[in-house]
Amino acid sequence: MPPFDPPDEAEPVCPSENAAAMAQETNDLMDKLVALCKRRGFIFQSSEIYGGIGGFWDYGPLGVELKRNVKNAWWEDTVRKRDDVVGLDCSIIMNPKVWEASGHIVNFNDPLVDCKQCKARFRADKVFGVLAHRGDDVLLQAGVEADNGDQARQVAVSGANSKTRRRIDKAGEGLQWTVFRTDERPQGQAALCPSCGGDLTDARKFNMMFKTFVGAMEDSSSVAYLRPETAQGIFANYKNVLDTSRMRLPFGIAQMGKSFRNEINPRNYTFRSREFEQMEIEFFCHPEQADEWYTTWRDTRYQWYTDHGLTSSKLHLRDHEDKELAHYAKACADVEYDFPFGTSELEGIANRTDFDLTEHQKHSGRDMSYFDDQTKERFIPYVIEPSGGIDRTVLALLCEAYTEDEAPDEKGNPQKRTVMRLHPRMAPIKLAVFPLVKKEGMPEIARGIYEDAQASGMAVFYDEKGAVGRRYRRQDEAGTPFCVTVDGQTLEDQTVTIRDRDSLVQERIAADQVVKYVRDRLG
Ligand code: GAP
């Protein structure tokens, strides 16, 4: 990003009241989602009873099922259903030489700034200075946290008082904006703290790997790191997999699991956490085939997200410009989603060339080359890496699913409802079973359907408490795609009603067909 980022002349400046309203809407939606996630047991703050800990989150009974469904779907689609990808599960703590070879010890840094006044710490590339002025008349000057210049301007305006916002609105054409990243500030510009408005220090490097010690001694010889990505475990095991499986190029190794980064400013709920899960594939191929495989994986991964309920209007595939590429990468694209707090990355797909295997060969002294029996050629494979975040995928699914609409109550009167329109494959509970009343044998029949579904391996919920309308509402909030009710007619003809969460259509089907009916619609 250039050091000085004024808005394009031709670009209309968002009227300040609009910006404030948009920011309010964003906050409202996130507040409602966070409240629902806590109320219904999707996501809790880690160690909440002790005041929590920044950047760490726990998944409750519904959240853990949703997350497991994301992981299972990824594993099934990228490992089990493909002939050219195998799985791996590496340790989190590895020999520290791995991180020397990968460059993480030297290069895995974020620029850090401190507030001289309140001592708060920020990632310098996420703090922007925003100045609105008409000549020498400064209407607004602020330091804000944001992902880009446009967002920074919006945040600054929405945080200003109404008098300032009115002045900005009235300023008209003479109004000029200066927006800059704190670590790239133009000379003479002050960098202000987003918390208290105090002066910020110059940026310095901060390594994001969590350090620990292995064994009883706590000295430099026992330092180790929690892995900041799962990818390096794959590179370190590339030869093991090649030597012990029948895989030949082109082939991939997939791994999912925890990664840890000591983020300076964890934020946007679970989006930027300090402990999170990744799902990564390292796909090894001949250098001449790398461009083709890069395009294939880029498109396959984008499609995977749309297949699981992220609407394509909010999902983008953004190719990196050359200046954004890491020095070893030949190409990179991000799958991005329009979160309520801004458009941000879910997954990156990169052509990492032969960089990683070459570096590990250099540092370990082990031969990482591949010999092609047919062409008799020896070479270091190129690697295409689709690297996604499980927690970010869960968050995007939750944001996409959150809907407020109306549904009729028992008397047919429209009532407001909150419904999580999760893709059926991702929904934590697939089916809820209710007896209409707790008598006349209905609970026994309902329990029978519940037990059949459970025995088939389906995530199913039984509920006989309270009015049936309230039971539907609870399942709508949990994202359960189907609810079955056993009623008076069931006693006569062994049929039940099955209600679709999204269309609210209720069908009558045979009680012994419920499990099949639901299975056929899970996607
Ligand atoms: N091996 C390449 C790699 O790790 P990355 O872009 O740093 O690339 C890949 O991370 C993915 O991991 C991101 O697209 C994101 O989904 C997830 N991720 C990274 N940092 C994260 C964090 N602090 N919190 C949650 N997810 C994160």
Side-chain angles (χ1 to χ4, degrees):
M1 188 174 287
F4 176 64
D5 187 21
D8 193 317
E9 286 292 292
E11 190 187 334
V13 171
C14 184
S16 60
E17 296 297 345
N18 269 359
M22 273 162 60
Q24 188 57 44
E25 222 171 88
T26 293
N27 289 344
D28 286 353
L29 177 57
M30 279 316 287
D31 286 352
K32 285 182 193 171
L33 182 68
V34 171
L36 181 140
C37 284
K38 179 164 185 212
R39 185 171 75 246
R40 296 311 320 272
F42 279 99
I43 299 173
F44 305 125
Q45 202 181 3
S46 164
S47 33
E48 190 192 343
I49 57 168
Y50 293 103
I53 171 168
F56 297 89
W57 298 93
D58 297 338
Y59 288 83
L62 289 182
V64 77
E65 290 291 338
L66 170 58
K67 196 172 184 189
R68 188 168 293 276
N69 292 338
V70 170
K71 294 201 253 185
N72 287 349
W74 183 82
W75 195 259
E76 274 166 28
D77 295 345
T78 54
V79 181
R80 295 219 173 130
K81 289 187 184 163
R82 294 185 67 113
D83 295 331
D84 57 356
V85 179
V86 289
L88 189 71
D89 185 21
C90 304
S91 62
I92 284 170
I93 293 178
M94 302 173 72
N95 188 314
K97 285 184 184 152
V98 167
W99 308 112
E100 269 171 43
S102 67
H104 281 83
I105 288 180
V106 175
N107 296 324
F108 198 54
N109 299 313
D110 268 349
L112 170 79
V113 284
D114 291 297
C115 173
K116 292 178 189 166
Q117 201 166 290
C118 71
K119 310 294 176 211
R121 291 200 147 163
F122 303 94
R123 233 177 94 170
D125 57 337
K126 299 286 176 193
V127 175
F128 286 77
V130 178
L131 193 65
H133 54 108
R134 203 173 29 192
D136 289 342
D137 184 17
V138 174
L139 276 64
L140 167 71
Q141 183 172 22
V144 294
E145 282 192 276
D147 287 324
N148 55 52
D150 283 346
Q151 206 184 66
R153 209 171 52 181
Q154 253 187 42
V155 176
V157 171
S158 65
N161 58 35
S162 50
K163 188 174 161 206
T164 303
R165 291 210 298 265
R166 269 199 306 278
R167 285 190 72 204
I168 290 173
D169 275 347
K170 280 192 191 147
E173 295 214 329
L175 186 69
Q176 289 171 299
W177 289 90
T178 303
V179 182
F180 54 88
R181 240 170 72 172
T182 291
D183 56 338
E184 297 173 340
R185 71 177 121 150
Q187 233 182 352
Q189 289 288 2
L192 302 182
C193 169
S195 297
C196 74
D199 268 351
L200 294 176
T201 59
D202 286 337
R204 63 182 191 283
K205 285 180 180 174
F206 170 77
N207 192 289
M208 290 202 294
M209 282 198 293
F210 277 101
K211 255 187 203 169
T212 186
F213 299 94
V214 172
M217 299 296 288
E218 289 198 6
D219 60 23
S220 57
S221 68
S222 61
V223 167
Y225 302 91
L226 304 193
R227 69 180 177 201
E229 61 173 24
T230 62
Q232 296 304 322
I234 298 180
F235 295 126
N237 277 289
Y238 152 76
K239 269 280 163 172
N240 281 337
V241 174
L242 201 58
D243 293 347
T244 56
S245 67
R246 297 230 174 124
M247 302 312 282
R248 310 304 299 156
L249 250 54
F251 80 99
I253 304 177
Q255 166 161 233
M256 60 169 74
K258 293 265 184 179
S259 292
F260 302 82
R261 296 183 188 178
N262 198 1
E263 297 282 356
I264 298 167
N265 286 128
R267 63 199 193 108
N268 290 332
Y269 201 22
T270 57
F271 181 83
R272 182 169 297 123
S273 307
R274 290 182 165 130
E275 177 177 339
F276 55 94
E277 286 196 79
Q278 290 184 307
M279 41 193 188
E280 297 197 287
I281 307 161
E282 305 303 325
F283 195 84
F284 304 92
C285 62
H286 190 285
E288 279 169 16
Q289 293 178 350
D291 291 346
E292 208 177 307
W293 276 111
Y294 166 72
T295 310
T296 303
W297 274 112
R298 171 184 171 280
D299 298 345
T300 305
R301 291 304 305 148
Y302 176 82
Q303 183 66 38
W304 190 81
Y305 290 99
T306 58
D307 286 348
H308 292 99
L310 298 184
T311 58
S312 47
S313 64
K314 284 192 185 161
L315 198 70
H316 315 282
L317 191 52
R318 188 181 68 81
D319 290 310
H320 283 210
E321 291 173 33
D322 285 352
K323 64 178 181 198
E324 280 182 271
L325 293 177
H327 62 93
Y328 50 79
K330 202 175 156 210
C332 187
D334 285 346
V335 179
E336 296 182 334
Y337 179 72
D338 294 338
F339 287 97
F341 45 80
T343 302
S344 293
E345 175 189 332
L346 288 181
E347 171 157 349
I349 300 99
N351 176 349
R352 297 180 65 103
T353 65
D354 57 2
F355 173 79
D356 304 275
L357 290 181
T358 305
E359 287 303 306
H360 283 298
Q361 176 168 284
K362 246 189 256 166
H363 284 79
S364 69
R366 296 286 181 91
D367 178 12
M368 295 287 171
S369 66
Y370 175 83
F371 182 69
D372 188 323
D373 314 323
Q374 274 162 13
T375 61
K376 308 293 175 214
E377 195 187 357
R378 183 171 285 285
F379 56 92
I380 304 241
Y382 266 35
V383 171
I384 309 303
E385 178 193 68
S387 170
I390 295 170
D391 306 79
R392 285 191 188 176
T393 304
V394 168
L395 184 58
L397 291 172
L398 287 169
C399 291
E400 181 81 24
Y402 186 94
T403 318
E404 290 171 355
D405 66 6
E406 285 189 343
D409 63 13
E410 287 99 47
K411 294 179 189 134
N413 300 321
Q415 296 290 338
K416 280 216 160 80
R417 73 164 181 164
T418 302
V419 52
M420 296 299 283
R421 294 183 191 270
L422 289 163
H423 187 285
R425 192 178 184 193
M426 298 303 184
I429 301 169
K430 311 297 186 200
L431 170 70
V433 188
F434 315 144
L436 184 63
V437 288
K438 272 200 281 181
K439 54 188 181 191
E440 294 164 22
M442 291 183 207
E444 289 73 15
I445 298 172
R447 271 215 87 84
I449 296 170
Y450 165 77
E451 280 161 18
D452 282 352
Q454 198 178 42
S456 80
M458 189 179 286
V460 55
F461 188 78
Y462 176 81
D463 191 2
E464 59 180 24
K465 290 200 190 85
V468 77
R470 280 177 60 89
R471 285 181 256 165
Y472 282 140
R473 296 293 171 277
R474 283 182 61 77
Q475 293 308 315
D476 288 341
E477 282 197 342
T480 307
F482 301 103
C483 292
V484 150
T485 305
V486 171
D487 55 17
Q489 196 176 325
T490 314
L491 308 176
E492 291 162 20
D493 63 6
Q494 288 80 52
T495 64
V496 291
T497 61
I498 188 152
R499 169 191 182 264
D500 181 291
R501 174 197 69 198
D502 299 336
S503 67
L504 296 171
V505 167
Q506 302 207 12
E507 271 184 75
R508 278 211 93 83
I509 62 167
D512 61 5
Q513 290 301 303
V514 167
V515 174
K516 180 173 183 315
Y517 179 100
V518 175
R519 280 235 173 278
D520 289 348
R521 286 161 181 77
L522 288 182

